[in-house]
């Protein structure tokens, strides 16, 4: 029997005391969310909803009662626990009564906003719907406030590391020369066949990264079986593990005993695999999926007496307009609006990256683009900004700069779209409304700066000589196209410079 940790017991007790409702739990990869939800006290049957095959099968080993599967050709027959692929069960809802389950677990709950999940959840009337997610919220994610009522428990990656349950992470990056700009996206990630083809030819660069940057027992995630096998040809004594590999346990034991220096896998070790010793993880399988990325990294977060920290190596290249998941994704930070030259400098301790990213993002080029970025975000999230001239930071904060270095700051909203503003928890729109009221009441004389509608009237004209000279003096090392610079764009730059 598995011995539950204190925080897992705390989470279970909180849910037990909550009664009827729809609740969200955030628990970082490696902290045991599957073990936690397998031990939730239930008053009837449980349904587990997942979106990938390995996630459907993986939880069942933690239950000591009857279990069934709803996926492809497999059907359940009244078992106490049913683990279902959402893509399958959405077409079989007529086979289930609405009150058939006491508890519904949504694994990787950030997918709950998808139509298939909504349809399943609308069909059933359980006592509790509990969403579990390992990925931190990002400002550009779909809000889940119309699905879940409350975030009842939160233990993130930083908490897990600081409290000694997970190891520290040293982040490295290497450009291995791939180009994914022509690879299509399917179901939120790169199309597997096209990805494999695009990654062909990167094997030498991956092997070089292993030789130059990896430390100790190394686990490499490849884009396909053929990709894994090609990498293995370049790394002496390495072993490839695929879904068809037999004696997997023996191979893992040899790896842990350092008889095998490097394991290379394709989508085998993404969830729930117990590998005692992993000192380096190389991500040579590019992904747009936060959850897949955190699961790959999660294989190396386990503590071990012989291990000081995890070395995480992101293999990067050209991705076009798509956002590639790399180490900052573990903290919910988007670096897609940072120049590639600046991205390549984002290395070191994971928790030192936010400050480096903030500095890298705070450049004249990003200040100029910011109006467009913020407006696009607001339209997608359906927020009314009241024409406030907000600047959005990579971690999702909104900043309104005012004269005399004053600022009004709204934090990044959580998964339910809520923030802490002026000491109170409120929804994001209410926080924006409060800022608008504050601006009108206390900063009406600065409206020409914070009111974008008014700023655009005078801002469409070319930047003045005075603005240009001041910018040249304050931003000597920055590349700025002064010939096309408008008064508003110049004002955006000067607001940030003068605002510190």
């Amino acid at each position: 029997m598995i011995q539950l940790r204190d925080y897992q017991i705390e989470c279970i007790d909180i849910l037990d005391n909550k009664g009827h409702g729809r609740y969200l739990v955030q628990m970082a990869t490696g902290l045991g969310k599957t073990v936690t939800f397998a031990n939730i006290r239930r008053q009837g049957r449980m349904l587990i909803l997942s979106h990938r095959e390995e996630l459907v099968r993986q939880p069942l080993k933690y239950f000591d009662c009857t279990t069934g599967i709803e996926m492809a050709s497999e059907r359940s027959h009244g078992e106490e626990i049913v683990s279902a692929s959402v893509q399958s069960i959405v077409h079989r809802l007529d086979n289930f009564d609405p009150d058939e389950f006491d508890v519904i677990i949504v694994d990787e709950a950030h997918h709950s906003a998808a139509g298939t999940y909504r349809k399943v959840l609308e069909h059933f009337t359980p006592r509790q719907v509990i969403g579990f997610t390992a990925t931190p919220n990002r400002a550009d994610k779909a809000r889940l406030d119309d699905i879940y009522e409350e975030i009842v428990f939160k233990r993130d990656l930083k908490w897990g590391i600081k409290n000694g349950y997970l190891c520290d992470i040293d982040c490295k990056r290497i450009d291995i020369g791939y180009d994914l700009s022509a690879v299509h996206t399917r179901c939120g990630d790169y199309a597997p066949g096209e990805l494999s083809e695009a990654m062909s030819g990167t094997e030498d660069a991956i092997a070089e990264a292993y030789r130059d940057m990896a430390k100790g027992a190394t686990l490499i995630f490849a884009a396909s079986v053929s990709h894994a096998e090609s990498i293995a040809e370049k790394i002496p004594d390495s072993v490839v593990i695929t879904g068809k590999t037999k004696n997997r346990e023996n191979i893992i034991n040899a790896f842990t005993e350092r008889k095998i220096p490097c394991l290379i896998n394709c989508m085998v070790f993404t969830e729930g695999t117990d590998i005692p010793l992993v000192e380096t993880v190389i991500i040579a399988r590019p992904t747009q999926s936060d959850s897949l990325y955190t699961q790959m990294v999660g294989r190396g977060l386990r503590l071990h007496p012989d291990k000081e920290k995890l070395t995480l190596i992101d293999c990067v290249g050209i991705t076009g307009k798509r956002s590639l998941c790399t180490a900052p994704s573990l903290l919910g930070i988007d670096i897609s609006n940072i120049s590639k030259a600046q991205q390549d400098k984002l290395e070191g301790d994971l928790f030192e990256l936010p400050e480096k990213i903030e500095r890298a993002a705070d450049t004249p080029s990003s200040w100029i683009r910011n109006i467009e970025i913020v407006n696009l975000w607001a339209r997608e999230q359906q927020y009314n900004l009241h024409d406030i001239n907000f600047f959005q930071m990579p971690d999702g904060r909104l900043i309104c700069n005012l004269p005399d270095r004053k600022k009004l700051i709204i934090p990044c909203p959580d998964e339910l779209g809520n923030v802490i503003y002026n000491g109170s928890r409120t929804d994001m729109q209410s926080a924006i409304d409060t800022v608008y009221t504050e601006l009108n009441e206390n900063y009406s004389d600065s409206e020409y700066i914070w009111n974008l509608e008014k700023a655009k009237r005078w801002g469409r004209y070319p930047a003045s000589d005075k603005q240009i000279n001041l910018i040249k003096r304050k931003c000597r090392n920055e590349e700025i196209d002064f010939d096309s610079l408008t008064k508003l764009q110049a004002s955006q730059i000067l607001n940030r410079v003068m605002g510190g």
Side-chain angles (χ1 to χ4, degrees), residues 143-198:
R143 299 205 310 275
L144 303 176
D145 52 323
D146 59 342
I147 299 170
Y148 301 102
E149 302 163 20
E150 183 184 357
I151 302 173
V152 296
F153 193 79
K154 200 166 188 174
R155 296 292 183 270
D156 60 13
L157 187 62
K158 189 169 187 176
W159 182 91
I161 292 174
K162 298 295 184 188
N163 285 275
Y165 293 107
L166 305 171
C167 71
D168 285 319
I169 305 175
D170 182 32
C171 308
K172 299 181 182 295
R173 296 169 66 93
I174 182 168
D175 190 331
I176 61 170
Y178 60 69
D179 185 349
L180 306 183
S181 52
V183 177
H184 290 88
T185 296
R186 292 200 190 117
C187 301
D189 204 359
Y190 295 110
E194 294 179 31
L195 178 63
S196 175
E197 191 174 329

Side-chain angles (χ1 to χ4, degrees), residues 454-463 485-490:
K454 291 195 174 183
K456 285 176 181 176
R457 293 174 195 167
W458 54 262
R460 63 180 181 269
Y461 299 106
L485 196 68
T486 67
K487 282 192 172 184
L488 178 57
Q489 290 171 340

Side-chain angles (χ1 to χ4, degrees), residues 114 128 134 153 164-165 266 290 323 346 377-378 406 417 475:
Q128 288 186 336
F153 193 79
Y165 293 107
C266 169
D290 287 339
S323 181
L346 300 177
W377 167 79
K406 292 179 181 175
C475 307

Side-chain angles (χ1 to χ4, degrees), residues 26-44:
Q26 188 200 334
M27 196 176 285
T29 295
L31 292 182
K33 65 182 173 71
T34 308
V35 173
T36 302
F37 72 64
N39 285 275
I40 287 172
R41 301 176 192 101
R42 53 189 185 274
Q43 300 169 18

Side-chain angles (χ1 to χ4, degrees), residues 278-291:
V278 176
E279 292 164 287
T280 296
V281 169
I282 299 179
I283 307 292
R285 192 279 185 209
T287 180
Q288 301 172 60
S289 167
D290 287 339
S291 58

